[in-house]
Short mmCIF file of all heavy atoms in Angstrom, two decimals:
data_model
loop_
_atom_site.label_atom_id
_atom_site.label_comp_id
_atom_site.label_asym_id
_atom_site.label_seq_id
_atom_site.Cartn_x
_atom_site.Cartn_y
_atom_site.Cartn_z
N TRP B 292 -24.06 25.11 -32.26
CA TRP B 292 -24.73 23.97 -32.80
C TRP B 292 -25.78 24.41 -33.76
O TRP B 292 -26.80 23.70 -34.19
CB TRP B 292 -25.38 23.08 -31.78
CG TRP B 292 -26.44 23.73 -30.79
CD1 TRP B 292 -27.80 23.62 -31.14
CD2 TRP B 292 -26.30 24.28 -29.56
NE1 TRP B 292 -28.50 24.29 -30.07
CE2 TRP B 292 -27.63 24.61 -29.09
CE3 TRP B 292 -25.23 24.55 -28.72
CZ2 TRP B 292 -27.93 25.26 -27.90
CZ3 TRP B 292 -25.49 25.17 -27.56
CH2 TRP B 292 -26.78 25.54 -27.12
N TYR B 350 -35.92 29.92 -29.08
CA TYR B 350 -35.31 28.97 -28.22
C TYR B 350 -35.04 29.38 -26.86
O TYR B 350 -35.39 28.81 -25.84
CB TYR B 350 -33.87 28.57 -28.91
CG TYR B 350 -33.04 27.53 -28.00
CD1 TYR B 350 -33.16 26.24 -28.30
CD2 TYR B 350 -32.19 28.09 -27.06
CE1 TYR B 350 -32.36 25.39 -27.56
CE2 TYR B 350 -31.41 27.13 -26.36
CZ TYR B 350 -31.58 25.84 -26.63
OH TYR B 350 -30.68 24.93 -25.88
N LYS B 353 -38.47 29.74 -24.82
CA LYS B 353 -39.46 28.65 -24.82
C LYS B 353 -39.79 28.37 -23.30
O LYS B 353 -38.96 28.10 -22.56
CB LYS B 353 -38.73 27.41 -25.52
CG LYS B 353 -39.69 26.26 -25.65
CD LYS B 353 -39.01 25.09 -26.54
CE LYS B 353 -39.94 23.89 -26.60
NZ LYS B 353 -41.16 24.19 -27.31
N THR B 356 -40.73 23.52 -22.28
CA THR B 356 -39.54 22.63 -22.58
C THR B 356 -39.89 21.07 -22.13
O THR B 356 -40.87 20.91 -21.34
CB THR B 356 -38.34 23.15 -21.74
OG1 THR B 356 -38.59 23.15 -20.32
CG2 THR B 356 -37.90 24.53 -22.29
N TRP B 357 -39.04 20.30 -22.37
CA TRP B 357 -39.24 18.90 -21.92
C TRP B 357 -39.28 18.97 -20.38
O TRP B 357 -40.11 18.22 -19.74
CB TRP B 357 -37.96 17.93 -22.26
CG TRP B 357 -38.17 16.64 -21.79
CD1 TRP B 357 -38.77 15.60 -22.49
CD2 TRP B 357 -37.73 16.08 -20.45
NE1 TRP B 357 -38.72 14.39 -21.71
CE2 TRP B 357 -38.10 14.78 -20.49
CE3 TRP B 357 -37.00 16.74 -19.44
CZ2 TRP B 357 -37.83 13.95 -19.30
CZ3 TRP B 357 -36.83 15.91 -18.29
CH2 TRP B 357 -37.12 14.48 -18.32
N ALA B 358 -38.41 19.60 -19.65
CA ALA B 358 -38.42 19.78 -18.15
C ALA B 358 -39.69 20.28 -17.66
O ALA B 358 -40.27 19.82 -16.72
CB ALA B 358 -37.15 20.40 -17.68
N ALA B 359 -40.18 21.42 -18.24
CA ALA B 359 -41.46 22.01 -17.73
C ALA B 359 -42.58 20.96 -17.94
O ALA B 359 -43.48 20.99 -16.99
CB ALA B 359 -41.78 23.23 -18.60
N MET B 365 -38.29 19.68 -11.00
CA MET B 365 -36.86 19.54 -11.07
C MET B 365 -36.03 20.46 -10.19
O MET B 365 -36.21 21.66 -10.35
CB MET B 365 -36.54 19.62 -12.52
CG MET B 365 -35.00 19.50 -12.81
SD MET B 365 -34.66 17.64 -12.69
CE MET B 365 -32.77 17.79 -12.63
N LYS B 366 -35.10 19.97 -9.39
CA LYS B 366 -34.34 20.77 -8.61
C LYS B 366 -33.00 21.12 -9.36
O LYS B 366 -32.52 20.39 -10.13
CB LYS B 366 -33.94 20.07 -7.28
CG LYS B 366 -35.21 19.72 -6.42
CD LYS B 366 -36.03 20.92 -5.99
CE LYS B 366 -37.24 20.51 -5.14
NZ LYS B 366 -38.06 21.61 -4.85
N PRO B 367 -32.42 22.22 -8.99
CA PRO B 367 -31.19 22.65 -9.75
C PRO B 367 -30.01 21.68 -9.50
O PRO B 367 -29.80 21.16 -8.39
CB PRO B 367 -30.88 23.97 -9.22
CG PRO B 367 -31.58 24.07 -7.80
CD PRO B 367 -32.81 23.23 -8.01
N VAL B 368 -29.30 21.55 -10.60
CA VAL B 368 -28.08 20.63 -10.64
C VAL B 368 -26.89 21.54 -10.90
O VAL B 368 -26.80 22.37 -11.66
CB VAL B 368 -28.24 19.69 -11.86
CG1 VAL B 368 -26.99 18.79 -11.95
CG2 VAL B 368 -29.41 18.77 -11.66
N ALA B 369 -25.74 21.15 -10.00
CA ALA B 369 -24.47 21.79 -10.26
C ALA B 369 -23.51 20.60 -10.77
O ALA B 369 -23.40 19.67 -10.17
CB ALA B 369 -23.90 22.36 -8.93
N TYR B 370 -22.93 20.81 -11.95
CA TYR B 370 -22.21 19.85 -12.65
C TYR B 370 -20.80 20.18 -12.68
O TYR B 370 -20.55 21.42 -13.15
CB TYR B 370 -22.88 19.79 -14.00
CG TYR B 370 -22.17 18.79 -14.92
CD1 TYR B 370 -22.68 17.51 -14.99
CD2 TYR B 370 -21.18 19.16 -15.88
CE1 TYR B 370 -22.12 16.44 -15.89
CE2 TYR B 370 -20.59 18.19 -16.70
CZ TYR B 370 -21.21 16.88 -16.77
OH TYR B 370 -20.62 15.91 -17.63
N TYR B 375 -14.29 20.84 -20.80
CA TYR B 375 -15.56 20.97 -21.57
C TYR B 375 -15.14 21.34 -22.95
O TYR B 375 -14.32 22.21 -23.27
CB TYR B 375 -16.32 22.22 -21.00
CG TYR B 375 -16.93 22.02 -19.67
CD1 TYR B 375 -16.20 22.47 -18.51
CD2 TYR B 375 -18.11 21.33 -19.44
CE1 TYR B 375 -16.70 22.27 -17.25
CE2 TYR B 375 -18.70 21.23 -18.18
CZ TYR B 375 -17.97 21.60 -17.07
OH TYR B 375 -18.44 21.55 -15.85
N TYR B 377 -16.93 22.67 -26.12
CA TYR B 377 -18.18 23.18 -26.63
C TYR B 377 -17.95 23.51 -28.17
O TYR B 377 -18.80 23.37 -29.09
CB TYR B 377 -18.55 24.52 -25.99
CG TYR B 377 -18.86 24.39 -24.52
CD1 TYR B 377 -18.01 24.78 -23.51
CD2 TYR B 377 -20.01 23.71 -24.12
CE1 TYR B 377 -18.31 24.63 -22.26
CE2 TYR B 377 -20.38 23.52 -22.75
CZ TYR B 377 -19.56 23.92 -21.78
OH TYR B 377 -19.89 23.78 -20.54
N LEU B 391 -18.16 15.03 -24.07
CA LEU B 391 -19.29 14.48 -23.29
C LEU B 391 -19.84 15.62 -22.39
O LEU B 391 -21.04 15.85 -22.35
CB LEU B 391 -18.92 13.33 -22.52
CG LEU B 391 -20.17 12.73 -21.76
CD1 LEU B 391 -20.91 11.71 -22.59
CD2 LEU B 391 -19.81 12.17 -20.47
N ALA B 392 -19.03 16.29 -21.59
CA ALA B 392 -19.36 17.39 -20.72
C ALA B 392 -19.97 18.42 -21.45
O ALA B 392 -21.06 18.96 -21.03
CB ALA B 392 -18.20 17.85 -19.87
N GLY B 393 -19.27 18.91 -22.47
CA GLY B 393 -20.00 20.00 -23.26
C GLY B 393 -21.31 19.66 -23.91
O GLY B 393 -22.34 20.47 -23.85
N ASP B 394 -21.39 18.42 -24.43
CA ASP B 394 -22.80 18.00 -24.97
C ASP B 394 -23.84 17.92 -23.85
O ASP B 394 -24.98 18.18 -24.05
CB ASP B 394 -22.48 16.64 -25.62
CG ASP B 394 -21.86 16.71 -26.99
OD1 ASP B 394 -21.52 17.82 -27.40
OD2 ASP B 394 -21.84 15.75 -27.76
N HIS B 395 -23.32 17.51 -22.60
CA HIS B 395 -24.35 17.27 -21.51
C HIS B 395 -24.95 18.69 -21.24
O HIS B 395 -26.14 18.74 -21.08
CB HIS B 395 -23.47 16.81 -20.33
CG HIS B 395 -24.42 16.25 -19.19
ND1 HIS B 395 -24.50 15.00 -18.88
CD2 HIS B 395 -25.29 16.84 -18.41
CE1 HIS B 395 -25.40 14.85 -17.77
NE2 HIS B 395 -25.87 15.95 -17.54
N CYS B 396 -24.09 19.73 -21.18
CA CYS B 396 -24.52 21.14 -20.95
C CYS B 396 -25.54 21.56 -22.05
O CYS B 396 -26.58 22.15 -21.77
CB CYS B 396 -23.36 22.05 -20.92
SG CYS B 396 -22.27 21.82 -19.56
N LYS B 397 -25.18 21.25 -23.35
CA LYS B 397 -26.09 21.75 -24.35
C LYS B 397 -27.35 21.10 -24.32
O LYS B 397 -28.40 21.70 -24.56
CB LYS B 397 -25.46 21.41 -25.77
CG LYS B 397 -24.13 22.22 -26.05
CD LYS B 397 -23.39 21.56 -27.29
CE LYS B 397 -22.18 22.37 -27.50
NZ LYS B 397 -21.33 21.92 -28.79
N SER B 398 -27.47 19.81 -23.99
CA SER B 398 -28.73 19.10 -23.93
C SER B 398 -29.47 19.52 -22.67
O SER B 398 -30.76 19.53 -22.72
CB SER B 398 -28.61 17.61 -24.00
OG SER B 398 -28.36 17.26 -25.34
N ALA B 399 -28.81 19.86 -21.53
CA ALA B 399 -29.55 20.42 -20.37
C ALA B 399 -30.21 21.64 -20.80
O ALA B 399 -31.33 21.86 -20.36
CB ALA B 399 -28.56 20.53 -19.30
N SER B 400 -29.43 22.45 -21.58
CA SER B 400 -30.04 23.62 -22.16
C SER B 400 -31.38 23.35 -22.94
O SER B 400 -32.46 23.93 -22.78
CB SER B 400 -29.10 24.47 -22.88
OG SER B 400 -29.82 25.50 -23.63
N ASP B 401 -31.14 22.45 -23.91
CA ASP B 401 -32.13 22.07 -24.78
C ASP B 401 -33.47 21.57 -24.08
O ASP B 401 -34.57 21.97 -24.42
CB ASP B 401 -31.83 20.99 -25.72
CG ASP B 401 -30.73 21.37 -26.75
OD1 ASP B 401 -30.49 22.66 -26.99
OD2 ASP B 401 -30.08 20.52 -27.27
N LEU B 402 -33.30 20.85 -22.97
CA LEU B 402 -34.31 20.26 -22.22
C LEU B 402 -34.96 21.22 -21.15
O LEU B 402 -36.14 20.95 -20.66
CB LEU B 402 -33.94 18.99 -21.53
CG LEU B 402 -33.46 17.82 -22.52
CD1 LEU B 402 -32.78 16.81 -21.74
CD2 LEU B 402 -34.78 17.23 -23.27
N GLY B 403 -34.30 22.39 -20.91
CA GLY B 403 -34.86 23.33 -19.99
C GLY B 403 -34.59 22.91 -18.60
O GLY B 403 -35.41 23.30 -17.68
N ILE B 404 -33.48 22.13 -18.30
CA ILE B 404 -33.22 21.80 -16.95
C ILE B 404 -32.47 22.85 -16.29
O ILE B 404 -31.64 23.55 -16.70
CB ILE B 404 -32.29 20.45 -16.97
CG1 ILE B 404 -33.16 19.29 -17.61
CG2 ILE B 404 -31.76 20.17 -15.54
CD1 ILE B 404 -32.29 18.22 -17.84
N PRO B 405 -32.74 23.08 -14.87
CA PRO B 405 -32.07 24.10 -14.13
C PRO B 405 -30.72 23.64 -13.87
O PRO B 405 -30.50 22.58 -13.06
CB PRO B 405 -32.91 24.23 -12.79
CG PRO B 405 -33.72 23.02 -12.70
CD PRO B 405 -33.92 22.57 -14.19
N PHE B 406 -29.65 24.00 -14.42
CA PHE B 406 -28.44 23.44 -14.57
C PHE B 406 -27.24 24.47 -14.54
O PHE B 406 -27.34 25.30 -15.44
CB PHE B 406 -28.37 22.43 -15.77
CG PHE B 406 -27.06 21.66 -15.97
CD1 PHE B 406 -27.20 20.33 -15.57
CD2 PHE B 406 -26.08 22.01 -16.59
CE1 PHE B 406 -26.17 19.42 -15.87
CE2 PHE B 406 -24.99 21.12 -16.79
CZ PHE B 406 -25.10 19.86 -16.38
N THR B 407 -26.23 24.21 -13.77
CA THR B 407 -25.09 25.12 -13.83
C THR B 407 -23.80 24.31 -13.90
O THR B 407 -23.63 23.27 -13.07
CB THR B 407 -25.00 26.12 -12.59
OG1 THR B 407 -26.17 26.79 -12.58
CG2 THR B 407 -23.80 27.03 -12.82
N ALA B 408 -22.88 24.58 -14.78
CA ALA B 408 -21.68 23.78 -14.87
C ALA B 408 -20.54 24.67 -14.34
O ALA B 408 -20.40 25.88 -14.38
CB ALA B 408 -21.48 23.44 -16.28
N VAL B 473 -24.27 28.96 -22.45
CA VAL B 473 -24.52 27.82 -23.35
C VAL B 473 -25.93 27.72 -23.50
O VAL B 473 -26.72 27.04 -22.75
CB VAL B 473 -23.91 26.66 -22.91
CG1 VAL B 473 -24.14 25.50 -23.98
CG2 VAL B 473 -22.44 26.86 -22.62
N GLY B 474 -26.68 28.41 -24.55
CA GLY B 474 -28.19 28.32 -24.58
C GLY B 474 -28.70 28.99 -23.43
O GLY B 474 -28.45 30.05 -22.95
N ARG B 475 -29.58 28.20 -22.65
CA ARG B 475 -30.23 28.71 -21.46
C ARG B 475 -29.50 28.52 -20.13
O ARG B 475 -30.04 28.94 -19.17
CB ARG B 475 -31.65 27.94 -21.43
CG ARG B 475 -32.58 27.97 -22.70
CD ARG B 475 -33.84 27.25 -22.39
NE ARG B 475 -34.73 27.15 -23.51
CZ ARG B 475 -34.84 26.09 -24.28
NH1 ARG B 475 -34.32 24.93 -23.96
NH2 ARG B 475 -35.60 26.22 -25.38
N ILE B 476 -28.33 27.78 -20.26
CA ILE B 476 -27.64 27.58 -18.98
C ILE B 476 -26.42 28.37 -18.97
O ILE B 476 -26.11 28.99 -19.94
CB ILE B 476 -27.32 26.11 -18.79
CG1 ILE B 476 -26.16 25.66 -19.87
CG2 ILE B 476 -28.54 25.13 -18.88
CD1 ILE B 476 -25.41 24.42 -19.39
N ARG B 477 -25.79 28.49 -17.75
CA ARG B 477 -24.51 29.18 -17.69
C ARG B 477 -23.41 28.29 -17.11
O ARG B 477 -23.62 27.29 -16.34
CB ARG B 477 -24.66 30.38 -16.63
CG ARG B 477 -24.91 30.04 -15.31
CD ARG B 477 -25.36 31.32 -14.56
NE ARG B 477 -24.37 32.24 -14.41
CZ ARG B 477 -24.27 33.23 -13.54
NH1 ARG B 477 -25.28 33.41 -12.69
NH2 ARG B 477 -23.28 34.16 -13.53
N VAL B 478 -22.24 28.55 -17.46
CA VAL B 478 -21.06 27.84 -17.11
C VAL B 478 -19.97 28.71 -16.27
O VAL B 478 -19.87 29.91 -16.83
CB VAL B 478 -20.28 27.20 -18.30
CG1 VAL B 478 -19.12 26.32 -17.79
CG2 VAL B 478 -21.25 26.30 -19.19
N HIS B 533 -23.20 16.86 -9.39
CA HIS B 533 -22.89 15.83 -10.22
C HIS B 533 -21.33 15.93 -10.56
O HIS B 533 -20.87 16.97 -11.19
CB HIS B 533 -23.73 15.98 -11.53
CG HIS B 533 -23.43 14.76 -12.49
ND1 HIS B 533 -24.16 14.58 -13.65
CD2 HIS B 533 -22.59 13.68 -12.47
CE1 HIS B 533 -23.77 13.48 -14.22
NE2 HIS B 533 -22.72 12.91 -13.58
N ALA B 673 -24.51 11.82 -27.66
CA ALA B 673 -23.81 12.85 -28.24
C ALA B 673 -24.97 13.87 -28.58
O ALA B 673 -26.13 13.56 -28.86
CB ALA B 673 -23.00 12.42 -29.39
N HIS B 674 -24.51 15.12 -28.70
CA HIS B 674 -25.46 16.21 -29.03
C HIS B 674 -25.64 16.20 -30.54
O HIS B 674 -24.76 16.70 -31.33
CB HIS B 674 -24.89 17.49 -28.52
CG HIS B 674 -25.96 18.66 -28.55
ND1 HIS B 674 -25.88 19.71 -29.59
CD2 HIS B 674 -26.96 18.95 -27.79
CE1 HIS B 674 -26.78 20.52 -29.38
NE2 HIS B 674 -27.55 20.04 -28.32
N LEU B 699 -35.59 14.39 -30.03
CA LEU B 699 -34.57 13.56 -30.52
C LEU B 699 -34.48 12.11 -29.93
O LEU B 699 -34.08 11.17 -30.61
CB LEU B 699 -33.13 14.17 -30.29
CG LEU B 699 -32.95 15.62 -31.07
CD1 LEU B 699 -31.69 16.29 -30.53
CD2 LEU B 699 -32.80 15.24 -32.53
N SER B 955 -28.68 9.83 -28.51
CA SER B 955 -28.76 11.30 -28.40
C SER B 955 -28.35 11.72 -27.03
O SER B 955 -28.73 10.95 -26.08
CB SER B 955 -30.18 11.70 -28.88
OG SER B 955 -31.21 11.38 -27.79
N MET B 956 -27.84 12.92 -26.88
CA MET B 956 -27.52 13.32 -25.59
C MET B 956 -28.80 13.74 -24.80
O MET B 956 -28.91 13.55 -23.64
CB MET B 956 -26.61 14.63 -25.72
CG MET B 956 -26.21 15.31 -24.35
SD MET B 956 -25.36 14.12 -23.15
CE MET B 956 -23.81 13.98 -23.92
N GLN B 957 -29.83 14.04 -25.59
CA GLN B 957 -31.11 14.29 -24.98
C GLN B 957 -31.53 13.01 -24.22
O GLN B 957 -32.04 13.17 -23.00
CB GLN B 957 -32.20 14.78 -25.93
CG GLN B 957 -32.30 16.23 -25.91
CD GLN B 957 -33.31 16.74 -27.00
OE1 GLN B 957 -32.99 17.65 -27.73
NE2 GLN B 957 -34.53 16.36 -27.04
N ARG B 958 -31.47 11.90 -24.82
CA ARG B 958 -31.85 10.59 -24.08
C ARG B 958 -30.94 10.44 -22.94
O ARG B 958 -31.41 10.16 -21.91
CB ARG B 958 -31.65 9.49 -25.10
CG ARG B 958 -32.16 8.18 -24.60
CD ARG B 958 -31.13 7.40 -23.70
NE ARG B 958 -29.90 7.33 -24.56
CZ ARG B 958 -28.84 7.15 -23.82
NH1 ARG B 958 -28.61 7.08 -22.46
NH2 ARG B 958 -27.69 7.11 -24.53
N GLN B 959 -29.66 10.75 -22.97
CA GLN B 959 -28.67 10.53 -22.00
C GLN B 959 -29.13 11.40 -20.72
O GLN B 959 -29.28 11.08 -19.59
CB GLN B 959 -27.29 10.82 -22.28
CG GLN B 959 -26.37 10.65 -21.11
CD GLN B 959 -24.93 11.35 -21.36
OE1 GLN B 959 -24.38 11.10 -22.30
NE2 GLN B 959 -24.65 12.24 -20.36
N VAL B 960 -29.35 12.68 -21.05
CA VAL B 960 -29.69 13.66 -19.87
C VAL B 960 -31.03 13.28 -19.29
O VAL B 960 -31.26 13.49 -18.07
CB VAL B 960 -29.58 15.07 -20.47
CG1 VAL B 960 -30.03 16.02 -19.31
CG2 VAL B 960 -28.16 15.36 -20.84
N ILE B 961 -32.02 12.92 -20.12
CA ILE B 961 -33.32 12.44 -19.56
C ILE B 961 -33.05 11.24 -18.70
O ILE B 961 -33.65 11.14 -17.63
CB ILE B 961 -34.21 12.10 -20.79
CG1 ILE B 961 -34.71 13.43 -21.35
CG2 ILE B 961 -35.41 11.33 -20.22
CD1 ILE B 961 -35.50 13.23 -22.71
N TYR B 963 -30.42 10.67 -16.95
CA TYR B 963 -29.94 11.26 -15.58
C TYR B 963 -31.02 11.92 -14.77
O TYR B 963 -30.94 11.58 -13.54
CB TYR B 963 -28.70 12.19 -15.93
CG TYR B 963 -27.36 11.54 -16.12
CD1 TYR B 963 -26.82 11.45 -17.44
CD2 TYR B 963 -26.81 11.04 -15.06
CE1 TYR B 963 -25.55 11.03 -17.61
CE2 TYR B 963 -25.53 10.45 -15.23
CZ TYR B 963 -24.89 10.47 -16.41
OH TYR B 963 -23.66 9.90 -16.61
N VAL B 964 -31.95 12.58 -15.47
CA VAL B 964 -32.95 13.21 -14.65
C VAL B 964 -33.86 12.22 -13.99
O VAL B 964 -34.15 12.25 -12.73
CB VAL B 964 -33.78 14.09 -15.61
CG1 VAL B 964 -34.94 14.60 -14.88
CG2 VAL B 964 -32.99 15.24 -16.11
N TYR B 968 -30.99 12.41 -10.96
CA TYR B 968 -31.12 13.71 -10.45
C TYR B 968 -32.51 13.97 -9.51
O TYR B 968 -32.29 14.41 -8.47
CB TYR B 968 -31.39 14.75 -11.49
CG TYR B 968 -30.05 15.02 -12.40
CD1 TYR B 968 -30.03 15.63 -13.63
CD2 TYR B 968 -28.75 14.50 -11.88
CE1 TYR B 968 -28.87 15.75 -14.32
CE2 TYR B 968 -27.62 14.72 -12.71
CZ TYR B 968 -27.74 15.41 -13.93
OH TYR B 968 -26.51 15.63 -14.61
#
Side-chain angles (χ1 to χ4, degrees):
W292 65 88
Y350 178 89
K353 187 176 177 62
T356 62
W357 179 91
M365 180 74 195
K366 302 299 183 184
V368 177
Y370 181 90
Y375 293 92
Y377 298 111
L391 181 90
D394 283 5
H395 196 116
C396 294
K397 292 173 183 177
S398 283
S400 168
D401 294 340
L402 295 166
I404 293 170
F406 187 95
T407 305
V473 180
R475 305 180 183 112
I476 72 156
R477 66 190 298 194
V478 183
H533 186 172
H674 190 253
L699 293 166
S955 67
M956 181 56 70
Q957 261 176 234
R958 187 276 309 154
Q959 180 200 302
V960 175
I961 289 170
Y963 273 111
V964 170
Y968 291 166

